[in-house]
Amino acid sequence: MKQRPIPILAPPGEDLARRVWIEHIQPAVDDGRYPIKRTPGEDVTVSADVFADGHDVLAVMLRYRPTRTNEWLETPMRFLGNDHWRASFPITSLEPYCYSVIGWVDFFATWQEEIRKKAAAGQKVESELLEGAAMVEKAADRASSLDRSQLVDRASILADRHQPAAARLETGLAPDLQALMNRYPDREGATEHPSLAVDVEPLHARFSAWYELFPRSARSYPGRSGTFGDAEGLLPYVARMGFDILYLPPIHPIGRTHRKGQNDTVVAGPDDPGSPWAIGAEEGGHDSIHQDLGTLEDFRHFVETAHTHGLMVALDIAFQCSPDHPWVREHPEWFRHRPDGTIKYAENPPKKYQDVYPLDFECRDWQNLWQVLAEIVLFWMDQGVTVFRVDNPHTKPLRFWGWLIGQIRESRPDVIFLAEAFTRPAVMYALAKAGFNQSYTYFTWRNTGQEITQYLSELTRSEVREFFRPNFFVNTPDILPEYLQFGGRPAFIARLVLAATLSSSYGVYSGFELCEAEALPGTEEYRDSEKFQLRQRDWKRPGNLTDYISRVNRIRRENPALSHNFHLRFYPVDNEQILCYGKTTPDNSNIILVAVNLDPHHAHEGWLQFPVGEFGLGESEAYQVHDLLGAGRYLWQGPRNYLRLDPSSSPAQIFLVRRRVRTERDFDYFM
Amino acid sequence: MKQRPIPILAPPGEDLARRVWIEHIQPAVDDGRYPIKRTPGEDVTVSADVFADGHDVLAVMLRYRPTRTNEWLETPMRFLGNDHWRASFPITSLEPYCYSVIGWVDFFATWQEEIRKKAAAGQKVESELLEGAAMVEKAADRASSLDRSQLVDRASILADRHQPAAARLETGLAPDLQALMNRYPDREGATEHPSLAVDVEPLHARFSAWYELFPRSARSYPGRSGTFGDAEGLLPYVARMGFDILYLPPIHPIGRTHRKGQNDTVVAGPDDPGSPWAIGAEEGGHDSIHQDLGTLEDFRHFVETAHTHGLMVALDIAFQCSPDHPWVREHPEWFRHRPDGTIKYAENPPKKYQDVYPLDFECRDWQNLWQVLAEIVLFWMDQGVTVFRVDNPHTKPLRFWGWLIGQIRESRPDVIFLAEAFTRPAVMYALAKAGFNQSYTYFTWRNTGQEITQYLSELTRSEVREFFRPNFFVNTPDILPEYLQFGGRPAFIARLVLAATLSSSYGVYSGFELCEAEALPGTEEYRDSEKFQLRQRDWKRPGNLTDYISRVNRIRRENPALSHNFHLRFYPVDNEQILCYGKTTPDNSNIILVAVNLDPHHAHEGWLQFPVGEFGLGESEAYQVHDLLGAGRYLWQGPRNYLRLDPSSSPAQIFLVRRRVRTERDFDYFM
């Protein structure tokens, strides 16, 4: 056997004296590398495994504070068995918070447990009482003057051999002595977990209903672009439907070079307005307003008027340029060039997008470019905009967004960003970790019960829920889902109810409420898409869903269960075409049950298994379910209940579950 | 709306230029806070999510090295789709390793993909070829002189307008140009993950069969203690059974004060030898040898003789003292005192252990105490001991073990420590993370098929397997499991086979092979336990399992599948009393299938579902299974096969699965 040297030991350092270990603190995103997200009014429920060697009793506290303050607030964590501890703290203001867990050996509680056990076994505890007295005396040294005298009193009783043993024991075990001792713990050797961050966002980051509108289509007669003034005329319409964020595609001058024509044709006609995402013309770029829409003043007026209707205006941030954008001339170094000196347009071979030049985020001058892009956002914030929808963020560096959003939200946590990303899950989630407050999702492509259940479980039951806030758009100018193309009005209703109740944030692109369903064949593109032409709409078209949408949005506002995603649960129905799920408030004071017929063509019926026990209802207890959409009221009993959904009349039902049912006991003369 | 200030932006720092993100690197224990564990000869398979914005092609490398060297070795990671990458590296020496992942945008590969797509779509690539030429030229600047001229050649072909386009395209896409370019990548802006650690342990940390023996019982006639000389006489017996580690309970002088008598009685008789764990007497403490066993020289002779029999000797580390230990006199400050000045003995109310004083790891002089304890270990290492079994480590500070084991293994990675901890899972696992190389487990209390399946899934399929090496002892001086008390010889066989094949490390305390099963009623304590008295045994007692154990240990050595736990899988049998599972080598060259009848009283039969497809066997292909215990050979076909296990003849079977079956094609004249 090879001889190896006997090691020379380094002496144990002071840091080794801490006996407590803290592990698996939850919630934490990527082990604390990224903040969790909350809104004011929410609680953060923190759990951790906390333990030490041996059998000593531990004291474990949850610590938390707004990050800017320097003093921790503390609340004791509750021991749940098997080294598991839990506690909650409230988020009360719109600013970053942080939290941590601290634990130490509670020698006094350990002592109490010891004397309790020994006394129960009939053993003498004389020596132990003296040890306890010494501990109480030491705590007295740390105490305020009022408490000090109390502690000194107790110590002297514990140490007094002339008192009866039973009385001394009782003093040692008294809850009020424990409470007193807890006020002056000996925290030497305490272990503290590195602190974790909470990104606190405004309520509408969590709970919002979006409506997307092209202001240039706001005019009701053909041939001329609508203006902000025209769009103001639509504000009551949007507000009546109950939306709270009105999102506008880019409002900037549109390039003329390689402008796309109607239905995405390569050559535009003389009257074709071009895609709003081909940003920039001789008149200006990202900080200018398209002259057909109005002036900057008109825009500000529009934003203010929207506010009076309870609507926030969201702008589109699309960091790309048309060939006519002023930056192309002033900052050619911000773009990629071909060997012949020309600028590279966007491509996804074999597709070419000659009307769009991507910015080169890696160019030599990248730091100035990033700065200027950030200043564009600040410019629109200056006009009162606090919500931004970011176009294709996944084609720009993740660290750019981290920097931009971080810089802005540090002093303006009221500003939020929605990521319009449709890409692989890791990148979707990385954008959310980088700071995006909401994100588009795969919802439009999740149609069967299994698809929806699986996707929502990922979004609401895994770590994802701590940092990724989904926004379920039912359609967009780019996506007219096949389900809507072929399912008719019942399909629109089903998808609306799914989006608005599965996700606390959802969105509708205008035309949806009119059940517009005509696509370019074989695609998800709208025929005669607004992206490339002006559209007029009959907002009162028969069969429209405006009243239905108003009702759904009112139900959302009146039922706090629908403003949150953490408490979503799916319930089994013995017919897979009926999807049934519930949402509740944490205290179960508001219980919503949703049933959707996923088949827009046929009526379906089935038996639902509703876990009444989880809501404190007995197996044979009656309860009321009130269909908030159809206004019907039903008496149910126990877990098994019948559902029937006919797409021609009610493709979906949203039930409010009321646990209390009137009985003879409510009758005045009973008793 | 409250007015808030428009933020002032900090300029983007250089560190933001890295476009690649690396996430979810696996394996990693607690996100890299603790090392994973491997032995020389094993591979580490590393996976990670690596991605960037946009659609550029990435280059991702796994980096690894023995930690003491400064130069990374690299191997390319394979792209598995959906941002997932994987690669392996080998552990070739007994020393700490580290590993990491580095990724960057591969502009040349991106360019190749672009021209391939464009050419396929019939688009011109003249400008792209010039871009490619520029990239190749730049790489030439980074290249060795030989490669440089090659690269310059290729660049000039790519740039040469007089050459036919097809030839230039072919040059650009040629695999050998790609290989050349890969040799000189542009790694500017690469992202590297913080490095992760591998604790490399000797093979027997992973794969070992232990035998526990009280040397004082080694003498075959009553009334006098056995010596190391007597114990040497048993070495051939232990070696013949095929064990490789011989573990001795403490061999130090035993205290006389409050010595425990036979069967744990409070008062010892004059001839009672006392518990070896009550360490220390006038003659000496932890660095002394009990005079009845022999001298230090005898011990060294014993260790050397054991080596010649292929046995390593493991010593017991029990850091506690009898009241007569020299430290009690010399270092009273290392113990806890009562108010009356006496030293506190160990207690777990209402139980009292007056023969044992725990050390106070938190005493004022703790740093010196820790140092002295570490020196005890070094002392025994000096005598040739490299394996330690640590008694009750969970009642000493976790950070003490982290320091002690870390200090020793830094220069002596051949030394290993087994934790004798039976406590809550979090603490068991924390000891393993702190550095223990093996651990006792809950195996003795996992008896039903479901219990075993569940426990082994936790140990071998979760993150636990990366840091926690189970040692399945079938019995210990403290644990005579009820299953053995009442199941007779078939129960001993079943538990032996389970321990030896479920876990790559297992152990037997002497007497097990003789089917000793007499307990103190209602307990798991042996009657007339060796802990408190001398024992004589008839090692040839009829019905003994020594031959059976030899066979099991030979099967373990001859079948590498059994030397590892990662590839354990349970297979369904339609009779829950038959537990069936398989272990394989990673390349499936060795396939072991084990079937155990868990009911020691009745024969059971059932149909096994064996997933032949996973082993490259067709559904209707015949294969041979060879019972290595019973020597029977069976021809099986397809997944469904019949098993019958009669406890009176064969409570267990260990099959070697041979995929190759002879057919007419093996006959010389065939063809």
Side-chain angles (χ1 to χ4, degrees):
Chain A
M1 193 183 260
K2 202 169 80 184
Q3 271 307 79
R4 297 186 191 236
I6 295 294
I8 293 153
L9 303 168
E14 282 297 337
D15 57 314
L16 296 177
R18 289 169 288 112
R19 280 177 58 200
V20 175
W21 276 32
I22 302 171
E23 284 191 341
H24 303 142
I25 196 168
Q26 288 292 334
V29 178
D30 283 10
D31 201 52
R33 246 187 307 284
Y34 306 102
I36 65 163
K37 298 180 182 177
R38 290 293 186 278
T39 56
E42 276 186 287
D43 281 347
V44 180
T45 299
V46 178
S47 66
D49 290 339
V50 188
F51 53 89
D53 57 281
H55 306 286
D56 290 342
V57 177
L58 303 188
V60 183
M61 306 292 274
L62 171 61
R63 324 189 82 186
Y64 61 97
R65 59 181 165 93
T67 308
R68 93 193 128 78
T69 67
N70 281 319
E71 212 160 324
W72 287 113
L73 301 162
E74 288 190 349
T75 186
M77 293 186 82
R78 205 156 65 84
F79 180 58
L80 306 173
N82 203 12
D83 298 317
H84 212 57
W85 298 75
R86 190 166 60 207
S88 297
F89 71 91
I91 301 288
T92 54
S93 52
L94 182 59
E95 59 181 320
Y97 274 64
C98 54
Y99 60 102
S100 174
V101 170
I102 188 169
W104 62 91
V105 176
D106 186 339
F107 291 106
F108 185 73
T110 305
W111 172 85
Q112 286 187 312
E113 204 172 282
E114 186 190 349
I115 59 166
R116 194 178 290 118
K117 279 187 189 168
K118 285 190 175 171
Q123 295 178 6
K124 278 201 178 173
V125 292
E126 177 58 39
S127 170
E128 285 74 10
L129 287 169
L130 296 178
E131 286 179 72
M135 271 189 262
V136 175
E137 258 168 44
K138 266 197 185 165
D141 292 345
R142 292 189 290 268
S144 70
S145 59
L146 194 68
D147 289 338
R148 188 179 309 132
S149 65
Q150 286 226 47
L151 287 163
V152 170
D153 274 2
R154 307 298 173 93
S156 66
I157 296 172
L158 291 175
D160 185 353
R161 289 163 194 271
H162 302 297
Q163 299 252 8
R168 294 163 70 197
L169 195 67
E170 195 181 323
T171 299
L173 293 173
D176 68 328
L177 176 57
Q178 191 175 4
L180 259 173
M181 289 295 285
N182 282 348
R183 239 176 276 165
Y184 307 101
D186 177 6
R187 294 199 182 186
E188 215 189 318
T191 300
E192 184 168 0
H193 195 279
S195 86
L196 298 159
V198 189
D199 191 358
V200 178
E201 304 168 315
L203 176 62
H204 55 275
R206 189 186 90 211
F207 179 52
S208 55
W210 293 54
Y211 186 80
E212 175 172 1
L213 175 81
F214 283 64
R216 71 184 182 186
S217 298
R219 177 166 281 194
S220 57
Y221 49 92
R224 279 192 50 194
S225 167
T227 64
F228 287 125
D230 298 323
E232 278 183 24
L234 283 179
L235 290 172
Y237 171 77
V238 178
R240 206 163 47 233
M241 282 191 283
F243 291 102
D244 30 47
I245 297 179
L246 175 59
Y247 149 51
L248 310 181
I251 56 175
H252 317 300
I254 296 171
R256 284 169 193 87
T257 306
H258 294 299
R259 176 179 285 189
K260 295 284 169 87
Q262 298 193 5
N263 287 309
D264 203 13
T265 46
V266 177
V267 182
D271 295 331
D272 283 344
S275 160
W277 284 274
I279 295 171
E282 222 168 295
E283 308 94 83
H286 285 77
D287 54 0
S288 302
I289 284 185
H290 196 295
Q291 57 195 17
D292 290 352
L293 294 175
T295 63
L296 190 59
E297 202 165 297
D298 294 339
F299 173 71
R300 289 161 81 136
H301 191 269
F302 173 76
V303 171
E304 279 158 29
T305 312
H307 286 166
T308 65
H309 286 89
L311 286 164
M312 275 177 279
V313 172
L315 276 198
D316 195 303
I317 295 285
F319 283 146
Q320 57 193 24
C321 299
S322 93
D324 308 320
H325 195 292
W327 290 344
V328 173
R329 200 175 56 245
E330 295 162 13
H331 294 284
E333 71 278 13
W334 290 354
F335 301 88
R336 282 210 170 83
H337 295 259
R338 302 171 152 260
D340 66 5
T342 59
I343 293 179
K344 295 188 86 167
Y345 49 79
E347 287 183 277
N348 186 9
K351 286 196 216 163
K352 301 177 178 189
Y353 308 94
Q354 296 100 328
D355 60 336
V356 169
Y357 288 172
L359 289 157
D360 182 3
F361 284 79
E362 295 176 290
C363 67
R364 283 210 196 153
D365 195 38
W366 65 274
Q367 282 161 308
N368 282 323
L369 168 63
W370 290 25
Q371 192 97 21
V372 167
L373 295 177
E375 277 158 15
I376 295 290
V377 179
L378 299 186
F379 175 83
W380 293 109
M381 283 166 60
D382 235 357
Q383 317 311 320
V385 178
T386 57
V387 182
F388 296 94
R389 177 270 197 194
V390 177
D391 192 71
N392 269 335
H394 56 290
T395 58
K396 288 96 190 170
L398 289 157
R399 287 183 177 80
F400 166 70
W401 298 119
W403 170 77
L404 172 71
I405 298 174
Q407 290 286 313
I408 287 172
R409 287 184 38 79
E410 194 175 313
S411 49
R412 287 292 301 271
D414 59 319
V415 176
I416 67 166
F417 296 83
L418 163 65
E420 188 251 2
F422 297 106
T423 182
R424 303 178 309 281
V427 179
M428 301 282 284
Y429 293 149
L431 287 163
K433 292 174 192 171
F436 277 96
N437 310 91
Q438 286 191 358
S439 179
Y440 282 63
T441 69
Y442 307 145
F443 171 68
T444 48
W445 305 292
R446 297 293 180 272
N447 291 293
T448 70
Q450 198 190 333
E451 285 170 352
I452 291 170
T453 307
Q454 221 161 54
Y455 189 46
L456 268 294
S457 296
E458 179 178 329
L459 296 182
T460 66
R461 308 278 283 172
S462 78
E463 185 182 284
V464 167
R465 73 180 195 176
E466 302 294 345
F467 64 87
F468 181 87
R469 295 193 183 279
N471 187 328
F472 278 10
F473 265 83
V474 289
N475 66 332
T476 78
D478 297 315
I479 308 171
L480 169 58
E482 287 177 288
Y483 185 87
L484 296 182
Q485 293 180 30
F486 308 117
R489 193 171 183 272
F492 280 79
I493 290 180
R495 296 298 292 181
L496 173 80
V497 171
L498 288 171
T501 59
L502 284 169
S503 174
S504 52
S505 287
Y506 86 110
V508 160
Y509 155 56
S510 55
F512 178 91
E513 71 271 34
L514 308 178
C515 301
E516 289 178 1
E518 225 181 322
L520 291 179
T523 75
E524 289 192 326
E525 286 284 338
Y526 279 91
R527 178 187 295 280
D528 301 332
S529 167
E530 267 182 299
K531 287 191 289 184
F532 308 107
Q533 68 190 75
L534 305 180
R535 287 282 301 271
Q536 294 76 44
R537 290 191 172 93
D538 172 8
W539 301 105
K540 299 197 167 131
R541 178 168 146 175
N544 72 63
L545 297 175
T546 52
D547 282 349
Y548 201 93
I549 293 173
S550 304
R551 223 171 318 147
V552 167
N553 281 332
R554 199 181 57 238
I555 292 168
R556 280 169 48 91
R557 288 192 194 191
E558 290 173 357
N559 291 279
L562 294 172
S563 72
H564 209 292
N565 294 336
F566 281 20
H567 304 282
L568 172 69
R569 296 292 179 275
F570 290 90
Y571 302 121
V573 178
D574 62 1
N575 177 337
E576 62 181 18
Q577 290 297 336
I578 299 179
L579 183 68
C580 189
Y581 49 90
K583 276 190 168 180
T584 62
T585 47
D587 62 357
N588 281 337
S589 62
N590 183 230
I591 306 170
I592 292 292
L593 190 66
V594 182
V596 179
N597 179 355
L598 301 174
D599 176 356
H601 304 295
H602 306 98
H604 282 276
E605 57 185 8
W607 289 89
L608 160 72
Q609 198 69 24
F610 183 60
V612 287
E614 290 177 17
F615 304 99
L617 289 163
E619 288 279 315
S620 56
E621 206 171 325
Y623 52 100
Q624 202 186 86
V625 296
H626 175 188
D627 180 5
L628 302 174
L629 281 170
R633 284 164 197 266
Y634 310 91
L635 264 187
W636 282 6
Q637 188 185 43
R640 204 170 131 81
N641 290 285
Y642 176 75
L643 289 172
R644 185 172 195 281
L645 294 146
D646 185 342
S648 69
S649 53
S650 60
Q653 290 178 310
I654 304 178
F655 297 112
L656 176 65
V657 179
R658 295 182 192 276
R659 279 177 289 186
R660 180 80 177 85
V661 173
R662 286 187 158 262
T663 71
E664 70 279 10
R665 285 161 202 280
D666 296 307
F667 188 61
D668 278 349
Y669 295 100
F670 192 88
M671 302 281 284
Chain B
M1 193 182 264
K2 200 168 79 184
Q3 271 308 80
R4 296 186 191 237
I6 295 295
I8 294 154
L9 303 169
E14 282 297 338
D15 58 312
L16 297 177
R18 290 169 288 113
R19 280 176 58 199
V20 175
W21 276 33
I22 301 171
E23 283 190 343
H24 303 140
I25 198 167
Q26 287 294 331
V29 178
D30 283 10
D31 202 51
R33 245 188 305 285
Y34 305 102
I36 65 163
K37 296 180 183 177
R38 289 294 186 277
T39 56
E42 277 186 287
D43 282 347
V44 181
T45 298
V46 179
S47 66
D49 291 338
V50 188
F51 53 88
D53 57 281
H55 307 285
D56 290 342
V57 178
L58 302 189
V60 182
M61 307 290 274
L62 171 61
R63 323 189 83 186
Y64 62 98
R65 60 182 167 90
T67 308
R68 94 195 126 77
T69 68
N70 281 319
E71 211 160 323
W72 287 112
L73 301 161
E74 287 190 349
T75 187
M77 294 187 81
R78 205 157 65 84
F79 180 59
L80 305 173
N82 202 12
D83 298 317
H84 212 57
W85 299 75
R86 189 165 62 206
S88 296
F89 71 92
I91 300 290
T92 54
S93 51
L94 182 59
E95 58 182 320
Y97 274 62
C98 54
Y99 59 101
S100 173
V101 170
I102 188 170
W104 63 90
V105 176
D106 186 338
F107 290 107
F108 186 72
T110 305
W111 172 85
Q112 286 187 311
E113 203 173 283
E114 184 189 353
I115 60 168
R116 193 177 291 118
K117 277 188 189 167
K118 283 190 175 171
Q123 295 179 7
K124 279 201 176 173
V125 294
E126 178 56 41
S127 168
E128 286 74 11
L129 287 169
L130 297 178
E131 287 179 72
M135 270 188 262
V136 175
E137 258 167 45
K138 266 196 185 166
D141 293 345
R142 292 188 291 266
S144 70
S145 61
L146 193 71
D147 289 339
R148 188 180 309 133
S149 65
Q150 284 225 47
L151 286 164
V152 169
D153 275 2
R154 307 300 173 90
S156 66
I157 296 172
L158 290 176
D160 185 353
R161 289 162 195 271
H162 302 300
Q163 299 252 11
R168 296 163 68 197
L169 195 66
E170 198 182 319
T171 300
L173 293 174
D176 68 328
L177 176 58
Q178 192 176 2
L180 259 172
M181 290 295 286
N182 280 349
R183 238 175 277 163
Y184 306 102
D186 178 8
R187 293 198 182 186
E188 216 189 316
T191 301
E192 184 169 0
H193 195 276
S195 86
L196 298 160
V198 189
D199 192 357
V200 178
E201 304 167 314
L203 175 62
H204 55 275
R206 188 186 90 210
F207 180 52
S208 56
W210 292 53
Y211 186 78
E212 175 172 1
L213 175 81
F214 282 64
R216 72 183 182 187
S217 299
R219 178 164 283 195
S220 59
Y221 49 93
R224 278 194 49 195
S225 168
T227 64
F228 286 125
D230 298 323
E232 278 184 23
L234 282 178
L235 290 172
Y237 170 77
V238 177
R240 207 165 45 234
M241 283 191 282
F243 291 103
D244 29 47
I245 298 179
L246 175 58
Y247 149 52
L248 311 181
I251 56 176
H252 317 299
I254 296 172
R256 285 171 193 85
T257 307
H258 294 300
R259 178 180 284 190
K260 295 284 168 89
Q262 298 193 6
N263 287 309
D264 204 12
T265 46
V266 177
V267 183
D271 295 332
D272 283 344
S275 161
W277 284 274
I279 296 172
E282 222 169 293
E283 308 93 85
H286 285 77
D287 53 0
S288 303
I289 284 185
H290 197 294
Q291 56 195 20
D292 290 352
L293 294 174
T295 64
L296 190 59
E297 202 165 298
D298 295 340
F299 174 71
R300 288 161 82 135
H301 190 270
F302 174 76
V303 170
E304 279 157 29
T305 312
H307 287 166
T308 66
H309 285 89
L311 286 164
M312 275 177 279
V313 172
L315 277 198
D316 195 302
I317 295 285
F319 283 147
Q320 58 194 21
C321 299
S322 93
D324 307 321
H325 196 291
W327 291 344
V328 173
R329 201 176 56 246
E330 295 161 13
H331 293 284
E333 70 277 15
W334 290 353
F335 301 88
R336 282 211 169 82
H337 295 259
R338 303 173 152 259
D340 65 6
T342 60
I343 294 179
K344 296 188 86 168
Y345 48 80
E347 287 183 276
N348 186 9
K351 287 196 216 161
K352 300 178 178 188
Y353 307 95
Q354 295 100 327
D355 59 337
V356 170
Y357 288 172
L359 289 157
D360 182 3
F361 284 79
E362 295 174 289
C363 68
R364 282 211 196 152
D365 195 37
W366 66 273
Q367 282 162 308
N368 283 322
L369 169 62
W370 290 25
Q371 193 98 20
V372 167
L373 295 177
E375 276 157 16
I376 295 291
V377 179
L378 298 185
F379 174 83
W380 293 108
M381 284 167 58
D382 233 357
Q383 317 310 320
V385 178
T386 57
V387 181
F388 296 94
R389 176 268 198 197
V390 177
D391 192 71
N392 269 334
H394 56 289
T395 58
K396 287 97 191 168
L398 290 157
R399 287 184 176 82
F400 167 70
W401 298 117
W403 170 77
L404 172 71
I405 298 175
Q407 289 287 312
I408 287 172
R409 287 185 37 79
E410 193 175 311
S411 49
R412 287 292 302 272
D414 58 318
V415 176
I416 66 166
F417 297 83
L418 163 65
E420 187 250 3
F422 298 105
T423 180
R424 304 178 309 282
V427 179
M428 302 282 282
Y429 293 149
L431 287 163
K433 291 175 193 170
F436 277 97
N437 310 92
Q438 285 191 358
S439 179
Y440 282 63
T441 69
Y442 308 145
F443 172 67
T444 46
W445 304 292
R446 297 293 179 273
N447 291 294
T448 70
Q450 197 190 332
E451 284 170 353
I452 291 170
T453 307
Q454 221 162 55
Y455 189 44
L456 268 295
S457 296
E458 178 178 328
L459 296 183
T460 67
R461 309 277 282 170
S462 78
E463 186 182 282
V464 167
R465 72 180 196 175
E466 303 294 346
F467 64 87
F468 181 86
R469 295 193 184 280
N471 188 329
F472 278 11
F473 266 83
V474 289
N475 66 332
T476 77
D478 297 315
I479 309 171
L480 169 57
E482 287 177 288
Y483 185 86
L484 297 181
Q485 294 180 30
F486 309 116
R489 194 172 181 270
F492 281 79
I493 292 181
R495 296 298 292 179
L496 174 80
V497 172
L498 288 171
T501 59
L502 285 170
S503 174
S504 51
S505 288
Y506 86 110
V508 161
Y509 155 57
S510 56
F512 178 91
E513 72 271 35
L514 308 179
C515 301
E516 289 179 0
E518 225 181 323
L520 291 178
T523 76
E524 290 191 328
E525 287 284 338
Y526 279 91
R527 177 188 295 276
D528 300 333
S529 167
E530 267 181 299
K531 289 190 288 184
F532 308 106
Q533 68 189 74
L534 305 179
R535 285 284 298 270
Q536 293 76 44
R537 290 193 173 92
D538 172 7
W539 301 106
K540 298 194 167 135
R541 174 168 149 175
N544 73 63
L545 296 175
T546 54
D547 283 349
Y548 201 93
I549 292 173
S550 304
R551 224 173 315 149
V552 167
N553 281 332
R554 200 181 54 240
I555 293 169
R556 280 169 48 90
R557 287 193 195 189
E558 289 173 358
N559 290 279
L562 294 173
S563 73
H564 209 292
N565 294 336
F566 280 21
H567 304 281
L568 171 69
R569 297 289 179 277
F570 290 89
Y571 302 121
V573 178
D574 62 0
N575 177 338
E576 62 182 18
Q577 290 298 335
I578 299 179
L579 183 68
C580 189
Y581 50 91
K583 275 189 169 181
T584 63
T585 48
D587 63 357
N588 280 339
S589 62
N590 184 230
I591 306 171
I592 292 292
L593 190 66
V594 182
V596 179
N597 179 354
L598 301 174
D599 176 355
H601 305 294
H602 305 97
H604 282 276
E605 56 185 8
W607 289 88
L608 160 71
Q609 198 68 26
F610 182 59
V612 287
E614 289 177 18
F615 304 99
L617 289 163
E619 288 279 316
S620 56
E621 207 172 322
Y623 53 99
Q624 202 187 85
V625 297
H626 175 187
D627 179 6
L628 302 174
L629 281 170
R633 284 165 197 265
Y634 309 91
L635 265 186
W636 281 8
Q637 189 186 40
R640 204 169 131 82
N641 290 285
Y642 176 76
L643 290 172
R644 184 171 196 281
L645 294 147
D646 185 341
S648 69
S649 53
S650 60
Q653 289 179 311
I654 303 179
F655 296 113
L656 175 67
V657 179
R658 294 183 193 276
R659 278 176 291 185
R660 181 78 177 85
V661 173
R662 286 188 158 260
T663 70
E664 71 280 10
R665 285 161 203 280
D666 296 307
F667 188 60
D668 278 350
Y669 295 101
F670 192 87
M671 298 282 284

